[in-house]
Amino acid sequence: MRIVWMGLLVIMTTGGMSAQRYQLRDGTVLVATEVSLRGGVLVHAVGLPGGKGTVERSYPLARVVRVDWPEPAELGEARRLLRTGDAAGALATIEPVLKQFTPLAKVPGSWWTAAKRVSLQGLMALGEGVASAQAARELMAIATDPEAVGLARLALVELEARTGRPEIARAMLTTLAGVDAPSAVQGRAWLLRGDLALARGSADEAIEAYLHVPVFHGTHDDLLPAALLGSARAFRAHGDSTRAERAVHELILNYPDSVEAAAAADEFKLESPAL
């Protein structure tokens, strides 16, 4: 028994020295660098007095109630790769994070939800419909963050539109983009509304939808490149070349490294500072 208590003392006293740690239901704190994960069990090797070897103490993952972990660097890098159009690189970068946190997907402090969102975005960008639908449903089943769940549902709406069922997509949007939905979800829903309107030739409706994003959801900077590109396309379809070019210039000036800026420069035959 003395050995066990000595081991627990080491765990508790060193836990505060590391930002990477597991908190268990009984109050025990395990420092990540001092344990290994083996088949769903955290194993901590405790040194015996006098250097006479070690004994192992096992902690089932089911006993973990929280993980304290700084944001993985791979998460930020994967997001950057997505913004610049390297979806395949983003998926490869985020995969180790997903693998690490999948066993703890539902535990507070886990980075699984954030990593899965990036993975879903990458799969959608690559046009991987089946894999995207699976990732979206996993997010809806596991994530507790309303924004993540809402964005996963929006991905399913977009997949309906991509597979030739825009009427179903529009009906689904009505229930997803209500006033109670998180702002990021509402903003992306308006982007999708614009895309659907533009696809069926309703330029006026598309313009209204795209402009709704910067006016009401402008704090979400990641939505603005798509809103600018969409509005440029909608203005062009409406016959307003002046406002279309103005939107393109704003896009290229403010988001030169974005996928949308490259697409706009190509479509509108303008020079992008990033190209």
Side-chain angles (χ1 to χ4, degrees):
M1 180 62 73
R2 183 184 176 192
I3 294 174
V4 172
W5 281 110
M6 285 181 65
L8 289 178
L9 179 61
V10 170
I11 295 169
M12 291 298 292
T13 55
T14 59
M17 298 168 61
S18 171
Q20 298 178 344
R21 58 188 187 175
Y22 304 91
Q23 296 184 22
L24 306 187
R25 188 177 296 112
D26 63 1
T28 300
V29 176
L30 302 173
V31 179
T33 55
E34 298 176 0
V35 297
S36 59
L37 179 59
R38 303 179 196 167
V41 175
L42 292 170
V43 179
H44 182 255
V46 181
L48 294 172
K52 298 179 180 180
T54 61
V55 294
E56 291 185 341
R57 180 75 186 272
S58 298
Y59 303 86
L61 284 180
R63 293 173 57 184
V64 178
V65 296
R66 181 174 182 82
V67 290
D68 293 322
W69 218 277
E71 179 175 315
E74 296 90 342
L75 192 55
E77 175 62 10
R79 288 169 175 156
R80 185 193 68 78
L81 291 170
L82 279 177
R83 288 194 300 270
T84 57
D86 188 359
L91 287 173
T93 301
I94 206 62
E95 182 59 30
V97 181
L98 272 176
K99 184 177 180 180
Q100 177 183 7
F101 287 101
T102 291
L104 300 161
K106 294 184 178 181
V107 176
S110 170
W111 289 99
W112 180 86
T113 295
K116 198 66 175 181
R117 280 179 58 172
V118 169
S119 179
L120 174 58
Q121 287 179 271
L123 292 168
M124 292 288 289
L126 291 175
E128 298 287 348
V130 175
S132 294
Q134 180 180 346
R137 292 190 178 99
E138 288 176 0
L139 267 172
M140 291 165 60
I142 296 175
T144 57
D145 175 18
E147 182 174 302
V149 173
L151 293 176
R153 289 175 175 164
L154 275 179
L156 294 180
V157 174
E158 185 172 344
L159 288 173
E160 290 288 346
R162 290 185 185 184
T163 52
R165 293 187 287 269
E167 296 82 5
I168 295 176
R170 287 199 299 273
M172 293 171 69
L173 271 178
T174 303
T175 63
L176 286 178
V179 293
D180 293 331
S183 178
V185 176
Q186 293 185 44
R188 289 195 180 276
W190 280 104
L191 287 177
L192 187 50
R193 281 175 172 168
D195 293 344
L196 292 171
L198 195 58
R200 67 174 184 274
S202 181
D204 287 345
E205 183 181 342
I207 291 171
E208 180 182 356
Y210 290 128
L211 293 183
H212 196 96
V213 177
V215 172
F216 294 99
H217 307 287
T219 57
H220 300 285
D221 199 58
D222 59 317
L223 302 182
L224 299 185
L228 285 166
L229 178 57
S231 64
R233 289 167 171 166
F235 283 129
R236 180 176 58 186
H238 190 264
D240 192 339
S241 59
T242 299
R243 295 183 72 183
E245 290 190 8
R246 188 183 305 157
V248 170
H249 281 297
E250 183 179 350
L251 169 59
I252 292 175
L253 177 64
N254 293 327
Y255 306 95
D257 297 323
S258 66
V259 178
E260 291 83 2
D266 181 60
E267 287 183 35
F268 291 83
K269 307 304 179 187
L270 300 175
E271 183 178 353
S272 170
L275 300 178

PDB file of all heavy atoms in Angstrom, residues 76-112:
ATOM      1  N   GLY A  76      -3.795  24.381 -35.661  1.00  0.00           N
ATOM      2  CA  GLY A  76      -3.627  25.667 -36.325  1.00  0.00           C
ATOM      3  C   GLY A  76      -3.043  25.517 -37.718  1.00  0.00           C
ATOM      4  O   GLY A  76      -3.456  26.209 -38.657  1.00  0.00           O
ATOM      5  N   GLU A  77      -2.093  24.609 -37.874  1.00  0.00           N
ATOM      6  CA  GLU A  77      -1.477  24.388 -39.184  1.00  0.00           C
ATOM      7  C   GLU A  77      -2.491  23.809 -40.168  1.00  0.00           C
ATOM      8  O   GLU A  77      -2.528  24.200 -41.345  1.00  0.00           O
ATOM      9  CB  GLU A  77      -0.277  23.459 -39.038  1.00  0.00           C
ATOM     10  CG  GLU A  77       0.386  23.051 -40.336  1.00  0.00           C
ATOM     11  CD  GLU A  77       0.968  24.209 -41.144  1.00  0.00           C
ATOM     12  OE1 GLU A  77       1.033  25.339 -40.612  1.00  0.00           O
ATOM     13  OE2 GLU A  77       1.357  23.987 -42.312  1.00  0.00           O
ATOM     14  N   ALA A  78      -3.310  22.884 -39.707  1.00  0.00           N
ATOM     15  CA  ALA A  78      -4.323  22.297 -40.588  1.00  0.00           C
ATOM     16  C   ALA A  78      -5.336  23.345 -41.030  1.00  0.00           C
ATOM     17  O   ALA A  78      -5.762  23.356 -42.195  1.00  0.00           O
ATOM     18  CB  ALA A  78      -5.024  21.140 -39.878  1.00  0.00           C
ATOM     19  N   ARG A  79      -5.709  24.234 -40.130  1.00  0.00           N
ATOM     20  CA  ARG A  79      -6.632  25.308 -40.503  1.00  0.00           C
ATOM     21  C   ARG A  79      -5.997  26.227 -41.545  1.00  0.00           C
ATOM     22  O   ARG A  79      -6.668  26.672 -42.482  1.00  0.00           O
ATOM     23  CB  ARG A  79      -7.022  26.103 -39.256  1.00  0.00           C
ATOM     24  CG  ARG A  79      -7.968  25.360 -38.311  1.00  0.00           C
ATOM     25  CD  ARG A  79      -8.087  26.093 -36.986  1.00  0.00           C
ATOM     26  NE  ARG A  79      -9.064  25.473 -36.104  1.00  0.00           N
ATOM     27  CZ  ARG A  79      -9.043  25.595 -34.784  1.00  0.00           C
ATOM     28  NH1 ARG A  79      -8.078  26.314 -34.198  1.00  0.00           N
ATOM     29  NH2 ARG A  79      -9.967  25.011 -34.046  1.00  0.00           N
ATOM     30  N   ARG A  80      -4.713  26.507 -41.369  1.00  0.00           N
ATOM     31  CA  ARG A  80      -4.015  27.358 -42.342  1.00  0.00           C
ATOM     32  C   ARG A  80      -3.993  26.687 -43.714  1.00  0.00           C
ATOM     33  O   ARG A  80      -4.215  27.340 -44.748  1.00  0.00           O
ATOM     34  CB  ARG A  80      -2.586  27.627 -41.860  1.00  0.00           C
ATOM     35  CG  ARG A  80      -1.815  28.606 -42.753  1.00  0.00           C
ATOM     36  CD  ARG A  80      -0.331  28.614 -42.432  1.00  0.00           C
ATOM     37  NE  ARG A  80       0.310  27.356 -42.801  1.00  0.00           N
ATOM     38  CZ  ARG A  80       0.648  27.047 -44.050  1.00  0.00           C
ATOM     39  NH1 ARG A  80       0.421  27.889 -45.038  1.00  0.00           N
ATOM     40  NH2 ARG A  80       1.224  25.878 -44.308  1.00  0.00           N
ATOM     41  N   LEU A  81      -3.723  25.408 -43.733  1.00  0.00           N
ATOM     42  CA  LEU A  81      -3.686  24.679 -44.997  1.00  0.00           C
ATOM     43  C   LEU A  81      -5.051  24.686 -45.681  1.00  0.00           C
ATOM     44  O   LEU A  81      -5.137  24.810 -46.909  1.00  0.00           O
ATOM     45  CB  LEU A  81      -3.218  23.238 -44.757  1.00  0.00           C
ATOM     46  CG  LEU A  81      -1.744  23.082 -44.348  1.00  0.00           C
ATOM     47  CD1 LEU A  81      -1.450  21.656 -43.897  1.00  0.00           C
ATOM     48  CD2 LEU A  81      -0.834  23.475 -45.499  1.00  0.00           C
ATOM     49  N   LEU A  82      -6.103  24.587 -44.896  1.00  0.00           N
ATOM     50  CA  LEU A  82      -7.447  24.654 -45.477  1.00  0.00           C
ATOM     51  C   LEU A  82      -7.691  26.006 -46.128  1.00  0.00           C
ATOM     52  O   LEU A  82      -8.248  26.087 -47.228  1.00  0.00           O
ATOM     53  CB  LEU A  82      -8.504  24.407 -44.395  1.00  0.00           C
ATOM     54  CG  LEU A  82      -8.801  22.960 -44.006  1.00  0.00           C
ATOM     55  CD1 LEU A  82      -9.822  22.933 -42.877  1.00  0.00           C
ATOM     56  CD2 LEU A  82      -9.318  22.163 -45.200  1.00  0.00           C
ATOM     57  N   ARG A  83      -7.288  27.080 -45.442  1.00  0.00           N
ATOM     58  CA  ARG A  83      -7.516  28.427 -45.978  1.00  0.00           C
ATOM     59  C   ARG A  83      -6.788  28.638 -47.297  1.00  0.00           C
ATOM     60  O   ARG A  83      -7.251  29.400 -48.150  1.00  0.00           O
ATOM     61  CB  ARG A  83      -7.062  29.486 -44.960  1.00  0.00           C
ATOM     62  CG  ARG A  83      -7.959  29.621 -43.751  1.00  0.00           C
ATOM     63  CD  ARG A  83      -7.647  30.893 -42.977  1.00  0.00           C
ATOM     64  NE  ARG A  83      -6.284  30.936 -42.491  1.00  0.00           N
ATOM     65  CZ  ARG A  83      -5.889  30.466 -41.311  1.00  0.00           C
ATOM     66  NH1 ARG A  83      -6.781  29.913 -40.503  1.00  0.00           N
ATOM     67  NH2 ARG A  83      -4.624  30.547 -40.933  1.00  0.00           N
ATOM     68  N   THR A  84      -5.650  27.966 -47.462  1.00  0.00           N
ATOM     69  CA  THR A  84      -4.860  28.163 -48.677  1.00  0.00           C
ATOM     70  C   THR A  84      -5.144  27.109 -49.741  1.00  0.00           C
ATOM     71  O   THR A  84      -4.476  27.080 -50.774  1.00  0.00           O
ATOM     72  CB  THR A  84      -3.359  28.157 -48.346  1.00  0.00           C
ATOM     73  OG1 THR A  84      -3.019  26.926 -47.696  1.00  0.00           O
ATOM     74  CG2 THR A  84      -3.012  29.317 -47.430  1.00  0.00           C
ATOM     75  N   GLY A  85      -6.117  26.238 -49.483  1.00  0.00           N
ATOM     76  CA  GLY A  85      -6.548  25.292 -50.498  1.00  0.00           C
ATOM     77  C   GLY A  85      -5.891  23.928 -50.467  1.00  0.00           C
ATOM     78  O   GLY A  85      -6.143  23.106 -51.346  1.00  0.00           O
ATOM     79  N   ASP A  86      -5.063  23.659 -49.478  1.00  0.00           N
ATOM     80  CA  ASP A  86      -4.406  22.359 -49.391  1.00  0.00           C
ATOM     81  C   ASP A  86      -5.196  21.447 -48.451  1.00  0.00           C
ATOM     82  O   ASP A  86      -4.775  21.175 -47.321  1.00  0.00           O
ATOM     83  CB  ASP A  86      -2.967  22.530 -48.896  1.00  0.00           C
ATOM     84  CG  ASP A  86      -2.166  21.236 -48.965  1.00  0.00           C
ATOM     85  OD1 ASP A  86      -2.722  20.203 -49.378  1.00  0.00           O
ATOM     86  OD2 ASP A  86      -0.974  21.264 -48.587  1.00  0.00           O
ATOM     87  N   ALA A  87      -6.335  20.978 -48.928  1.00  0.00           N
ATOM     88  CA  ALA A  87      -7.199  20.136 -48.099  1.00  0.00           C
ATOM     89  C   ALA A  87      -6.536  18.807 -47.765  1.00  0.00           C
ATOM     90  O   ALA A  87      -6.650  18.299 -46.644  1.00  0.00           O
ATOM     91  CB  ALA A  87      -8.531  19.904 -48.801  1.00  0.00           C
ATOM     92  N   ALA A  88      -5.832  18.219 -48.732  1.00  0.00           N
ATOM     93  CA  ALA A  88      -5.158  16.950 -48.485  1.00  0.00           C
ATOM     94  C   ALA A  88      -4.090  17.102 -47.408  1.00  0.00           C
ATOM     95  O   ALA A  88      -3.947  16.248 -46.520  1.00  0.00           O
ATOM     96  CB  ALA A  88      -4.541  16.421 -49.779  1.00  0.00           C
ATOM     97  N   GLY A  89      -3.339  18.199 -47.466  1.00  0.00           N
ATOM     98  CA  GLY A  89      -2.333  18.461 -46.446  1.00  0.00           C
ATOM     99  C   GLY A  89      -2.958  18.671 -45.079  1.00  0.00           C
ATOM    100  O   GLY A  89      -2.414  18.229 -44.056  1.00  0.00           O
ATOM    101  N   ALA A  90      -4.109  19.343 -45.053  1.00  0.00           N
ATOM    102  CA  ALA A  90      -4.809  19.566 -43.781  1.00  0.00           C
ATOM    103  C   ALA A  90      -5.252  18.251 -43.164  1.00  0.00           C
ATOM    104  O   ALA A  90      -5.109  18.035 -41.951  1.00  0.00           O
ATOM    105  CB  ALA A  90      -6.011  20.471 -44.011  1.00  0.00           C
ATOM    106  N   LEU A  91      -5.768  17.343 -43.988  1.00  0.00           N
ATOM    107  CA  LEU A  91      -6.215  16.039 -43.477  1.00  0.00           C
ATOM    108  C   LEU A  91      -5.036  15.243 -42.924  1.00  0.00           C
ATOM    109  O   LEU A  91      -5.152  14.616 -41.866  1.00  0.00           O
ATOM    110  CB  LEU A  91      -6.904  15.256 -44.587  1.00  0.00           C
ATOM    111  CG  LEU A  91      -8.298  15.745 -44.984  1.00  0.00           C
ATOM    112  CD1 LEU A  91      -8.802  14.988 -46.206  1.00  0.00           C
ATOM    113  CD2 LEU A  91      -9.275  15.604 -43.829  1.00  0.00           C
ATOM    114  N   ALA A  92      -3.915  15.262 -43.631  1.00  0.00           N
ATOM    115  CA  ALA A  92      -2.739  14.532 -43.157  1.00  0.00           C
ATOM    116  C   ALA A  92      -2.211  15.130 -41.858  1.00  0.00           C
ATOM    117  O   ALA A  92      -1.763  14.404 -40.955  1.00  0.00           O
ATOM    118  CB  ALA A  92      -1.652  14.553 -44.228  1.00  0.00           C
ATOM    119  N   THR A  93      -2.276  16.440 -41.739  1.00  0.00           N
ATOM    120  CA  THR A  93      -1.765  17.132 -40.548  1.00  0.00           C
ATOM    121  C   THR A  93      -2.632  16.870 -39.329  1.00  0.00           C
ATOM    122  O   THR A  93      -2.119  16.709 -38.209  1.00  0.00           O
ATOM    123  CB  THR A  93      -1.679  18.647 -40.812  1.00  0.00           C
ATOM    124  OG1 THR A  93      -0.811  18.884 -41.921  1.00  0.00           O
ATOM    125  CG2 THR A  93      -1.163  19.391 -39.592  1.00  0.00           C
ATOM    126  N   ILE A  94      -3.944  16.813 -39.519  1.00  0.00           N
ATOM    127  CA  ILE A  94      -4.864  16.688 -38.382  1.00  0.00           C
ATOM    128  C   ILE A  94      -5.051  15.246 -37.945  1.00  0.00           C
ATOM    129  O   ILE A  94      -5.518  14.987 -36.827  1.00  0.00           O
ATOM    130  CB  ILE A  94      -6.234  17.330 -38.719  1.00  0.00           C
ATOM    131  CG1 ILE A  94      -6.949  17.782 -37.426  1.00  0.00           C
ATOM    132  CG2 ILE A  94      -7.122  16.371 -39.510  1.00  0.00           C
ATOM    133  CD1 ILE A  94      -6.214  18.831 -36.647  1.00  0.00           C
ATOM    134  N   GLU A  95      -4.673  14.282 -38.771  1.00  0.00           N
ATOM    135  CA  GLU A  95      -4.926  12.876 -38.465  1.00  0.00           C
ATOM    136  C   GLU A  95      -4.307  12.426 -37.137  1.00  0.00           C
ATOM    137  O   GLU A  95      -4.975  11.735 -36.350  1.00  0.00           O
ATOM    138  CB  GLU A  95      -4.420  11.991 -39.613  1.00  0.00           C
ATOM    139  CG  GLU A  95      -4.685  10.509 -39.415  1.00  0.00           C
ATOM    140  CD  GLU A  95      -6.161  10.177 -39.261  1.00  0.00           C
ATOM    141  OE1 GLU A  95      -7.003  10.898 -39.839  1.00  0.00           O
ATOM    142  OE2 GLU A  95      -6.473   9.198 -38.552  1.00  0.00           O
ATOM    143  N   PRO A  96      -3.047  12.795 -36.817  1.00  0.00           N
ATOM    144  CA  PRO A  96      -2.495  12.376 -35.517  1.00  0.00           C
ATOM    145  C   PRO A  96      -3.274  12.925 -34.324  1.00  0.00           C
ATOM    146  O   PRO A  96      -3.383  12.265 -33.290  1.00  0.00           O
ATOM    147  CB  PRO A  96      -1.067  12.934 -35.549  1.00  0.00           C
ATOM    148  CG  PRO A  96      -0.746  13.111 -36.989  1.00  0.00           C
ATOM    149  CD  PRO A  96      -2.039  13.499 -37.628  1.00  0.00           C
ATOM    150  N   VAL A  97      -3.810  14.131 -34.459  1.00  0.00           N
ATOM    151  CA  VAL A  97      -4.599  14.720 -33.370  1.00  0.00           C
ATOM    152  C   VAL A  97      -5.894  13.934 -33.185  1.00  0.00           C
ATOM    153  O   VAL A  97      -6.312  13.641 -32.058  1.00  0.00           O
ATOM    154  CB  VAL A  97      -4.897  16.204 -33.659  1.00  0.00           C
ATOM    155  CG1 VAL A  97      -5.708  16.816 -32.514  1.00  0.00           C
ATOM    156  CG2 VAL A  97      -3.608  16.973 -33.864  1.00  0.00           C
ATOM    157  N   LEU A  98      -6.536  13.593 -34.295  1.00  0.00           N
ATOM    158  CA  LEU A  98      -7.757  12.791 -34.202  1.00  0.00           C
ATOM    159  C   LEU A  98      -7.469  11.442 -33.546  1.00  0.00           C
ATOM    160  O   LEU A  98      -8.219  10.988 -32.670  1.00  0.00           O
ATOM    161  CB  LEU A  98      -8.334  12.557 -35.602  1.00  0.00           C
ATOM    162  CG  LEU A  98      -9.288  13.610 -36.146  1.00  0.00           C
ATOM    163  CD1 LEU A  98      -9.676  13.273 -37.580  1.00  0.00           C
ATOM    164  CD2 LEU A  98     -10.529  13.737 -35.278  1.00  0.00           C
ATOM    165  N   LYS A  99      -6.397  10.813 -33.954  1.00  0.00           N
ATOM    166  CA  LYS A  99      -6.040   9.509 -33.396  1.00  0.00           C
ATOM    167  C   LYS A  99      -5.775   9.604 -31.904  1.00  0.00           C
ATOM    168  O   LYS A  99      -6.179   8.730 -31.125  1.00  0.00           O
ATOM    169  CB  LYS A  99      -4.803   8.963 -34.117  1.00  0.00           C
ATOM    170  CG  LYS A  99      -4.408   7.560 -33.682  1.00  0.00           C
ATOM    171  CD  LYS A  99      -3.224   7.065 -34.495  1.00  0.00           C
ATOM    172  CE  LYS A  99      -2.825   5.650 -34.069  1.00  0.00           C
ATOM    173  NZ  LYS A  99      -1.666   5.144 -34.860  1.00  0.00           N
ATOM    174  N   GLN A 100      -5.127  10.677 -31.484  1.00  0.00           N
ATOM    175  CA  GLN A 100      -4.791  10.847 -30.073  1.00  0.00           C
ATOM    176  C   GLN A 100      -6.022  11.054 -29.210  1.00  0.00           C
ATOM    177  O   GLN A 100      -6.123  10.497 -28.104  1.00  0.00           O
ATOM    178  CB  GLN A 100      -3.846  12.043 -29.912  1.00  0.00           C
ATOM    179  CG  GLN A 100      -3.478  12.348 -28.463  1.00  0.00           C
ATOM    180  CD  GLN A 100      -2.594  13.571 -28.351  1.00  0.00           C
ATOM    181  OE1 GLN A 100      -2.340  14.281 -29.327  1.00  0.00           O
ATOM    182  NE2 GLN A 100      -2.101  13.849 -27.151  1.00  0.00           N
ATOM    183  N   PHE A 101      -6.979  11.857 -29.707  1.00  0.00           N
ATOM    184  CA  PHE A 101      -8.106  12.250 -28.857  1.00  0.00           C
ATOM    185  C   PHE A 101      -9.390  11.462 -29.111  1.00  0.00           C
ATOM    186  O   PHE A 101     -10.356  11.632 -28.362  1.00  0.00           O
ATOM    187  CB  PHE A 101      -8.378  13.745 -29.014  1.00  0.00           C
ATOM    188  CG  PHE A 101      -7.343  14.618 -28.352  1.00  0.00           C
ATOM    189  CD1 PHE A 101      -6.349  15.225 -29.095  1.00  0.00           C
ATOM    190  CD2 PHE A 101      -7.349  14.797 -26.978  1.00  0.00           C
ATOM    191  CE1 PHE A 101      -5.385  16.020 -28.495  1.00  0.00           C
ATOM    192  CE2 PHE A 101      -6.395  15.584 -26.353  1.00  0.00           C
ATOM    193  CZ  PHE A 101      -5.403  16.197 -27.117  1.00  0.00           C
ATOM    194  N   THR A 102      -9.410  10.593 -30.101  1.00  0.00           N
ATOM    195  CA  THR A 102     -10.621   9.800 -30.341  1.00  0.00           C
ATOM    196  C   THR A 102     -11.044   8.986 -29.123  1.00  0.00           C
ATOM    197  O   THR A 102     -12.236   8.933 -28.796  1.00  0.00           O
ATOM    198  CB  THR A 102     -10.432   8.892 -31.571  1.00  0.00           C
ATOM    199  OG1 THR A 102     -10.386   9.709 -32.750  1.00  0.00           O
ATOM    200  CG2 THR A 102     -11.585   7.906 -31.704  1.00  0.00           C
ATOM    201  N   PRO A 103     -10.122   8.336 -28.387  1.00  0.00           N
ATOM    202  CA  PRO A 103     -10.559   7.598 -27.191  1.00  0.00           C
ATOM    203  C   PRO A 103     -11.159   8.495 -26.113  1.00  0.00           C
ATOM    204  O   PRO A 103     -11.819   8.000 -25.195  1.00  0.00           O
ATOM    205  CB  PRO A 103      -9.259   6.939 -26.697  1.00  0.00           C
ATOM    206  CG  PRO A 103      -8.346   6.928 -27.872  1.00  0.00           C
ATOM    207  CD  PRO A 103      -8.673   8.172 -28.629  1.00  0.00           C
ATOM    208  N   LEU A 104     -10.912   9.806 -26.199  1.00  0.00           N
ATOM    209  CA  LEU A 104     -11.394  10.759 -25.195  1.00  0.00           C
ATOM    210  C   LEU A 104     -12.317  11.791 -25.839  1.00  0.00           C
ATOM    211  O   LEU A 104     -12.435  12.914 -25.372  1.00  0.00           O
ATOM    212  CB  LEU A 104     -10.210  11.471 -24.537  1.00  0.00           C
ATOM    213  CG  LEU A 104      -9.216  10.564 -23.803  1.00  0.00           C
ATOM    214  CD1 LEU A 104      -7.888  11.266 -23.611  1.00  0.00           C
ATOM    215  CD2 LEU A 104      -9.793  10.113 -22.467  1.00  0.00           C
ATOM    216  N   ALA A 105     -12.998  11.393 -26.900  1.00  0.00           N
ATOM    217  CA  ALA A 105     -13.770  12.343 -27.706  1.00  0.00           C
ATOM    218  C   ALA A 105     -14.804  13.108 -26.897  1.00  0.00           C
ATOM    219  O   ALA A 105     -15.045  14.291 -27.135  1.00  0.00           O
ATOM    220  CB  ALA A 105     -14.444  11.602 -28.866  1.00  0.00           C
ATOM    221  N   LYS A 106     -15.439  12.452 -25.937  1.00  0.00           N
ATOM    222  CA  LYS A 106     -16.514  13.086 -25.175  1.00  0.00           C
ATOM    223  C   LYS A 106     -16.053  13.727 -23.866  1.00  0.00           C
ATOM    224  O   LYS A 106     -16.860  14.305 -23.134  1.00  0.00           O
ATOM    225  CB  LYS A 106     -17.601  12.057 -24.870  1.00  0.00           C
ATOM    226  CG  LYS A 106     -18.331  11.539 -26.096  1.00  0.00           C
ATOM    227  CD  LYS A 106     -19.466  10.606 -25.704  1.00  0.00           C
ATOM    228  CE  LYS A 106     -20.240  10.127 -26.918  1.00  0.00           C
ATOM    229  NZ  LYS A 106     -21.369   9.245 -26.542  1.00  0.00           N
ATOM    230  N   VAL A 107     -14.773  13.652 -23.580  1.00  0.00           N
ATOM    231  CA  VAL A 107     -14.253  14.163 -22.311  1.00  0.00           C
ATOM    232  C   VAL A 107     -14.008  15.666 -22.423  1.00  0.00           C
ATOM    233  O   VAL A 107     -13.414  16.125 -23.407  1.00  0.00           O
ATOM    234  CB  VAL A 107     -12.943  13.441 -21.944  1.00  0.00           C
ATOM    235  CG1 VAL A 107     -12.340  14.033 -20.675  1.00  0.00           C
ATOM    236  CG2 VAL A 107     -13.195  11.947 -21.772  1.00  0.00           C
ATOM    237  N   PRO A 108     -14.481  16.452 -21.445  1.00  0.00           N
ATOM    238  CA  PRO A 108     -14.198  17.897 -21.474  1.00  0.00           C
ATOM    239  C   PRO A 108     -12.703  18.172 -21.586  1.00  0.00           C
ATOM    240  O   PRO A 108     -11.888  17.525 -20.926  1.00  0.00           O
ATOM    241  CB  PRO A 108     -14.755  18.381 -20.127  1.00  0.00           C
ATOM    242  CG  PRO A 108     -15.825  17.393 -19.789  1.00  0.00           C
ATOM    243  CD  PRO A 108     -15.321  16.074 -20.289  1.00  0.00           C
ATOM    244  N   GLY A 109     -12.360  19.148 -22.432  1.00  0.00           N
ATOM    245  CA  GLY A 109     -10.975  19.490 -22.646  1.00  0.00           C
ATOM    246  C   GLY A 109     -10.343  18.765 -23.821  1.00  0.00           C
ATOM    247  O   GLY A 109      -9.244  19.117 -24.252  1.00  0.00           O
ATOM    248  N   SER A 110     -11.028  17.765 -24.356  1.00  0.00           N
ATOM    249  CA  SER A 110     -10.505  17.028 -25.503  1.00  0.00           C
ATOM    250  C   SER A 110     -10.539  17.901 -26.755  1.00  0.00           C
ATOM    251  O   SER A 110     -11.461  18.702 -26.942  1.00  0.00           O
ATOM    252  CB  SER A 110     -11.347  15.764 -25.739  1.00  0.00           C
ATOM    253  OG  SER A 110     -11.015  15.157 -26.973  1.00  0.00           O
ATOM    254  N   TRP A 111      -9.559  17.713 -27.621  1.00  0.00           N
ATOM    255  CA  TRP A 111      -9.498  18.450 -28.882  1.00  0.00           C
ATOM    256  C   TRP A 111     -10.115  17.657 -30.037  1.00  0.00           C
ATOM    257  O   TRP A 111      -9.950  18.020 -31.191  1.00  0.00           O
ATOM    258  CB  TRP A 111      -8.052  18.825 -29.196  1.00  0.00           C
ATOM    259  CG  TRP A 111      -7.536  19.883 -28.276  1.00  0.00           C
ATOM    260  CD1 TRP A 111      -6.758  19.717 -27.170  1.00  0.00           C
ATOM    261  CD2 TRP A 111      -7.794  21.291 -28.366  1.00  0.00           C
ATOM    262  NE1 TRP A 111      -6.516  20.914 -26.558  1.00  0.00           N
ATOM    263  CE2 TRP A 111      -7.137  21.908 -27.271  1.00  0.00           C
ATOM    264  CE3 TRP A 111      -8.520  22.092 -29.249  1.00  0.00           C
ATOM    265  CZ2 TRP A 111      -7.180  23.286 -27.048  1.00  0.00           C
ATOM    266  CZ3 TRP A 111      -8.559  23.458 -29.032  1.00  0.00           C
ATOM    267  CH2 TRP A 111      -7.896  24.040 -27.954  1.00  0.00           C
ATOM    268  N   TRP A 112     -10.848  16.608 -29.721  1.00  0.00           N
ATOM    269  CA  TRP A 112     -11.426  15.775 -30.778  1.00  0.00           C
ATOM    270  C   TRP A 112     -12.406  16.565 -31.646  1.00  0.00           C
ATOM    271  O   TRP A 112     -12.359  16.485 -32.870  1.00  0.00           O
ATOM    272  CB  TRP A 112     -12.139  14.564 -30.173  1.00  0.00           C
ATOM    273  CG  TRP A 112     -12.752  13.682 -31.227  1.00  0.00           C
ATOM    274  CD1 TRP A 112     -12.135  12.679 -31.902  1.00  0.00           C
ATOM    275  CD2 TRP A 112     -14.089  13.753 -31.744  1.00  0.00           C
ATOM    276  NE1 TRP A 112     -13.001  12.109 -32.811  1.00  0.00           N
ATOM    277  CE2 TRP A 112     -14.208  12.750 -32.738  1.00  0.00           C
ATOM    278  CE3 TRP A 112     -15.190  14.563 -31.465  1.00  0.00           C
ATOM    279  CZ2 TRP A 112     -15.386  12.535 -33.450  1.00  0.00           C
ATOM    280  CZ3 TRP A 112     -16.366  14.362 -32.179  1.00  0.00           C
ATOM    281  CH2 TRP A 112     -16.453  13.362 -33.158  1.00  0.00           C
TER     282      TRP A 112
END
